[in-house]
Amino acid sequence: MTETPSRPQVLRIVLVDDQGLMRAGFRALLDAEDGIEVVGEAADGEQGVALVREQVPDIALIDVQMPVMSGIEATRRIAADPALAAVRVVILTNYGLDSYVFEALRAGASGFLLKDTEPADLLQALEVVARGEALLSPSVTRTLIGEFVARPPDRATPPGLECLTRREREVTALAARGLTNEEIAAHMVISPFTAKTHISRAMTKLGARDRAQLVVFAYESGLVTARGR
């Protein structure tokens, strides 16, 4: 089985935001860090997709609301392109866990960041995504679950879970409840490595880019149902 990828020696970033001042701020912060290179900027989603195809960065930081093409549609196109399978999209938003974030996660985003995130938290978040992990902490996952309770997702095209083994379904359901690998291991009386292995296999079988999408799949398929408040 393939291990979780390590962080690239030089983390290549593309910035996509219609606000020039916002891009300049992010670029100044990121360019000041060793091992991070901003390889391009775009002012709308359409330009952003073209730039990502040209540069194939490690991470694309994409604003959710932009002219010409939204960040959600840009994310969808990037995620659907096999040549960009290694690119991780992080959505930038002013509003936290809103409807745009849910759509972005379904479209293939690896997570999201608030635009007023502290610089140290931004850099740490990029490290997390660069390692191939989802930018959703267990606490954020639990908040996400609470939002599913209040606003159930569309079930127009629910993914099939028939391909998963019983154990893979069980760990997927626990992950969707917001448990960490260590908490899943304790619940199932297995090692954290085994829990991680089951999660990784479930992601591979379902075509989930990361844990964030695995949580979405679990709810949209009906494997886990949102409890009423």
Side-chain angles (χ1 to χ4, degrees):
M1 173 171 175
T2 303
E3 292 293 326
T4 301
S6 59
R7 180 206 193 279
Q9 284 191 331
V10 176
L11 194 57
R12 303 173 70 252
I13 307 288
V14 156
L15 301 175
V16 186
D17 195 306
D18 61 322
Q19 297 180 10
L21 186 61
M22 187 64 65
R23 295 198 310 273
F26 276 112
R27 178 182 275 277
L29 171 64
L30 297 175
D31 280 345
E33 290 295 313
D34 292 334
I36 296 180
E37 179 185 4
V38 177
V39 296
E41 299 179 23
D44 62 58
E46 187 172 75
Q47 292 178 9
V49 172
L51 181 61
V52 169
R53 286 174 174 159
E54 175 188 335
Q55 294 292 337
V56 193
D58 300 299
I59 297 174
L61 288 174
I62 299 181
D63 185 22
V64 70
Q65 291 180 294
M66 292 181 292
V68 184
M69 180 188 295
S70 72
I72 294 169
E73 180 59 28
T75 299
R76 186 175 292 112
R77 296 192 184 192
I78 291 168
D81 190 337
L84 304 177
V87 178
R88 292 292 174 260
V89 174
V90 175
I91 290 293
L92 298 170
T93 176
N94 289 316
Y95 308 110
L97 282 165
D98 58 16
S99 59
Y100 294 112
V101 170
F102 290 102
E103 292 180 48
L105 291 174
R106 295 188 190 104
S110 293
F112 67 93
L113 283 171
L114 294 176
K115 287 189 175 182
D116 61 357
T117 296
E118 291 295 326
D121 293 335
L122 169 64
L123 296 173
Q124 182 180 21
L126 294 179
E127 292 284 347
V128 169
V129 176
R131 294 195 300 267
E133 301 173 22
L135 188 52
L136 285 177
S137 67
S139 62
V140 171
T141 302
R142 291 184 180 111
T143 305
L144 185 68
I145 290 165
E147 292 294 327
F148 268 108
V149 173
R151 182 175 54 253
D154 296 332
R155 295 193 179 218
T157 56
L161 298 178
E162 300 82 5
C163 59
L164 300 186
T165 66
R166 180 181 61 81
R167 297 292 264 181
E168 289 164 356
R169 287 182 181 224
E170 188 175 356
V171 297
T172 297
L174 292 172
R177 293 293 185 199
L179 274 65
T180 65
N181 287 346
E182 289 72 20
E183 290 169 338
I184 291 172
H187 181 88
M188 297 178 64
V189 195
I190 57 178
S191 71
F193 178 79
T194 300
K196 179 181 177 182
T197 298
H198 286 314
I199 289 286
S200 297
R201 287 177 176 164
M203 286 168 50
T204 298
K205 289 180 179 180
L206 293 173
R209 291 166 69 93
D210 51 41
R211 197 183 189 102
Q213 281 220 304
L214 192 65
V215 171
V216 173
F217 286 175
Y219 277 90
E220 294 195 325
S221 67
L223 177 66
V224 176
T225 57
R227 301 188 183 101
R229 292 185 189 274

